[in-house]
């Protein structure tokens, strides 16, 4: 164990890192690896691959993801901003390229192939977008003459347009919802809240009218008619697991789920490990969000406060959407469960996001909490005057 007295990059990192966050992220990563043994083999066998194909692929992305998370956590807040600007610019360029040269899957162009690896650039766009918008909001708060709010709105429009063009309505909703929460925390007026709410309703209605697959999913969710095979099977898997589950490898309904290793991994957890395990997993996600918001509240720097809040809300909202779809609480939408579902782009992007959170929540002199500052001021006020 490193001593506090010794100075060095790793020693400073160890004593300044939020170990609760680090433990929660590692638990989710390891849990996703364990789950891949249960959820992936049936899918691989169905499409003619060897049973542990997706397990090996999951492990292939897991260790680089851990390394990227730890390396990113070494950054300073300025380094996080710089990396986010570069990553956002690169992701937007690749998203434009994907519209013309990307791989088309089920009518959507969201992926680009690079050397045999399929990359979804929108996954890397999300954490970078959150950090850049936090910086713009913070600059507007620090210097009213800087049109940070206007720039963030323009950036949101660009990102939304690219996501809708793919089309990927789920990521659009997730990104817009996270941005709206950050804008609210940045101190927008009720006029903006009303306006944004109206725009959101118009956008939702437009998506229903313009995109047939969106209308079909909403209609199936509301009426229960049509092709509801995946959601019905997922719900059946959850119910069959009971409180304690069927046991590792003993699930049978999971074999009928086409996307058991990605969008419906939560249902596999319920069937094999029980509702209790699902509640424990949900508690870890909840812990990450609540701890992040608590730490953000006590941050002195506006950028840190908004960036941490935005990143953990992005993490939490994506988790909620995935779980809600599995529980049939909202229309079906392809959204991975962070660190749990299979997906190289998703895992690597979430690892970068987790690294940003770890970097921004490290203990630094400029991040003294409001409570600590109040205590210091109180002690200073109560200190006796020096003798004359």
């Amino acid at each position: 164990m490193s001593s506090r007295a010794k100075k060095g990059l790793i020693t400073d990192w160890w004593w300044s890192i939020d170990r609760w966050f680090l433990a929660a992220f590692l638990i989710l990563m390891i849990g996703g690896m364990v789950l891949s043994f249960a959820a992936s083999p049936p899918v691989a066998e169905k499409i003619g691959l060897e049973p542990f194909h997706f397990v090996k692929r999951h492990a292939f992305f897991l260790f680089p993801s851990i390394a990227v998370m730890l390396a990113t956590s070494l950054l300073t807040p300025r380094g996080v901003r710089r990396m986010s600007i570069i990553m956002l610019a690169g992701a937007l360029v690749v998203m434009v390229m994907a519209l013309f040269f990307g791989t088309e899957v089920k009518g959507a162009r969201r992926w680009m192939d690079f050397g045999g690896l399929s990359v979804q650039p929108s996954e890397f766009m999300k954490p970078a977008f959150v950090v850049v918008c936090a910086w713009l909001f913070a600059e507007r708060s620090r210097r009213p003459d800087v049109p940070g709010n206007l720039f963030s709105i323009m950036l949101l429009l660009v990102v939304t347009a690219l996501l809708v063009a793919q089309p990927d309505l789920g990521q659009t909703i997730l990104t817009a919802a996270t941005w709206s929460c950050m804008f609210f925390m940045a101190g927008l007026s009720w006029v903006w809240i009303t306006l944004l709410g109206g725009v959101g309703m118009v956008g939702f209605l437009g998506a229903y009218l313009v995109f047939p697959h969106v209308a079909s999913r909403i209609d199936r969710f509301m009426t229960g008619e049509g092709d509801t095979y995946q959601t019905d099977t997922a719900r059946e898997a959850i119910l069959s697991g009971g409180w304690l589950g069927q046991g590792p490898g003993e699930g049978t309904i999971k074999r009928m789920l086409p996307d058991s290793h990605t969008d419906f991994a939560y249902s596999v957890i319920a069937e094999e490990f029980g509702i209790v395990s699902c509640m424990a997993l949900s508690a870890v996600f909840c812990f990450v969000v609540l701890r992040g918001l608590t730490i953000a509240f006590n941050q002195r720097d506006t950028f840190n406060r908004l960036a941490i809040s935005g990143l953990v809300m992005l993490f939490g909202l994506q988790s909620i959407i995935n779980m809600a779809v599995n529980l049939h609480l909202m229309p079906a939408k392809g959204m991975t469960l962070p660190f749990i579902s299979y997906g190289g782009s998703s895992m690597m992007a979430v690892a970068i996001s987790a690294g940003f959170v770890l970097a921004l929540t490290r203990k630094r002199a400029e991040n003294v909490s409001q409570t600590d500052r109040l205590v210091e001021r109180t002690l200073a006020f109560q200190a006796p005057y020096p003798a004359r």
Side-chain angles (χ1 to χ4, degrees):
M1 183 65 67
S2 299
S3 171
R4 286 180 184 266
K6 295 180 179 179
K7 296 295 182 180
L9 180 65
I10 302 301
T11 303
D12 291 342
W13 174 86
W14 175 250
W15 289 111
S16 62
I17 201 75
D18 189 301
R19 297 174 201 171
W20 288 104
F21 263 139
L22 181 62
F25 291 139
L26 290 176
I27 287 172
L28 291 174
M29 286 179 159
I30 296 171
M33 186 69 240
V34 172
L35 176 67
S36 68
F37 284 93
S40 298
V43 179
E45 292 174 355
K46 280 183 182 179
I47 59 179
L49 300 173
E50 61 100 5
F52 293 101
H53 171 79
F54 291 113
V55 175
K56 294 176 181 177
R57 296 279 292 180
H58 195 106
F60 175 80
F61 288 110
L62 174 63
F63 296 105
S65 295
I66 294 176
V68 166
M69 180 183 72
L70 297 178
T72 307
S73 69
L74 294 169
L75 294 173
T76 62
R78 179 177 295 181
V80 170
R81 287 197 298 269
R82 290 176 176 175
M83 179 177 173
S84 297
I85 293 172
I86 296 172
M87 190 165 70
L88 178 61
L92 292 178
V93 170
V94 179
M95 287 174 69
V96 174
M97 293 173 57
L99 296 177
F100 300 96
F101 310 108
T103 304
E104 184 173 345
V105 179
K106 298 180 181 179
R109 291 186 178 272
R110 306 171 188 170
W111 295 268
M112 282 289 292
D113 289 330
F114 295 100
L117 292 177
S118 184
V119 178
Q120 188 174 356
S122 60
E123 292 287 352
F124 296 92
M125 175 275 300
K126 291 184 295 184
F129 171 78
V130 167
V131 173
V132 171
C133 284
W135 173 58
L136 292 173
F137 290 142
E139 285 299 300
R140 173 64 177 81
S141 175
R142 188 174 66 89
R143 296 173 54 191
D145 58 308
V146 176
N149 291 356
L150 177 60
F151 288 157
S152 70
I153 293 174
M154 295 171 61
L155 184 57
L156 175 67
L157 293 176
V158 171
V159 167
T160 301
L162 289 174
L163 289 173
V164 171
Q166 290 182 349
D168 193 340
L169 274 298
Q171 299 283 22
T172 304
I173 294 173
L174 175 61
T175 304
T178 304
W179 179 88
S180 299
C181 292
M182 293 174 62
F183 201 1
F184 177 78
M185 289 188 296
L188 81 164
S189 66
W190 283 102
V191 175
W192 276 106
I193 294 176
T194 305
L195 180 62
L196 289 174
V199 171
M201 293 299 295
V202 172
F204 180 81
L205 179 61
Y208 181 84
L209 296 175
V210 173
F211 297 102
H213 70 281
V214 174
S216 175
R217 289 179 178 181
I218 295 175
D219 291 341
R220 290 199 303 266
F221 174 76
M222 298 298 294
T223 64
E225 300 176 355
D227 184 11
T228 59
Y229 175 77
Q230 286 226 81
T231 54
D232 290 343
T233 306
R235 182 171 52 185
E236 185 179 350
I238 293 172
L239 293 174
S240 70
W243 286 102
L244 301 178
Q246 301 291 334
E250 299 298 322
T252 55
I253 299 176
K254 69 176 184 181
R255 300 180 179 277
M256 298 181 286
L257 270 172
D259 297 323
S260 62
H261 63 317
T262 54
D263 301 345
F264 292 93
Y266 194 73
S267 298
V268 177
I269 297 173
E271 183 180 17
E272 299 210 341
F273 301 98
I275 297 175
V276 171
S277 297
C278 288
M279 293 172 65
L281 179 63
S282 301
V284 177
F285 284 109
C286 184
F287 170 80
V288 170
V289 175
L290 291 179
R291 184 166 183 81
L293 293 177
T294 301
I295 293 176
F297 176 77
N298 289 322
Q299 291 288 308
R300 173 183 294 182
D301 185 76
T302 303
F303 165 71
N304 281 13
R305 182 167 63 252
L306 293 175
I308 295 169
S309 299
L311 289 168
V312 296
M313 283 190 294
L314 178 69
F315 187 83
L317 288 173
Q318 181 169 334
S319 305
I320 289 173
I321 292 174
N322 179 276
M323 295 177 190
V325 169
N326 277 259
L327 296 170
H328 201 53
L329 296 177
M330 65 181 298
K333 179 64 199 81
M335 189 77 69
T336 58
L337 189 59
F339 288 137
I340 302 298
S341 300
Y342 169 80
S345 294
S346 176
M347 185 184 299
M348 190 67 70
V350 176
I352 293 174
S353 182
F356 284 166
V357 172
L358 290 170
L360 294 170
T361 56
R362 285 173 59 189
K363 297 173 184 176
R364 297 184 178 91
E366 65 268 23
N367 292 341
V368 177
S369 70
Q370 296 176 0
T371 303
D372 291 340
R373 294 201 306 273
L374 180 60
V375 171
E376 290 175 0
R377 291 174 183 173
T378 303
L379 293 175
F381 179 77
Q382 294 177 348
Y385 291 102
R388 294 185 178 180

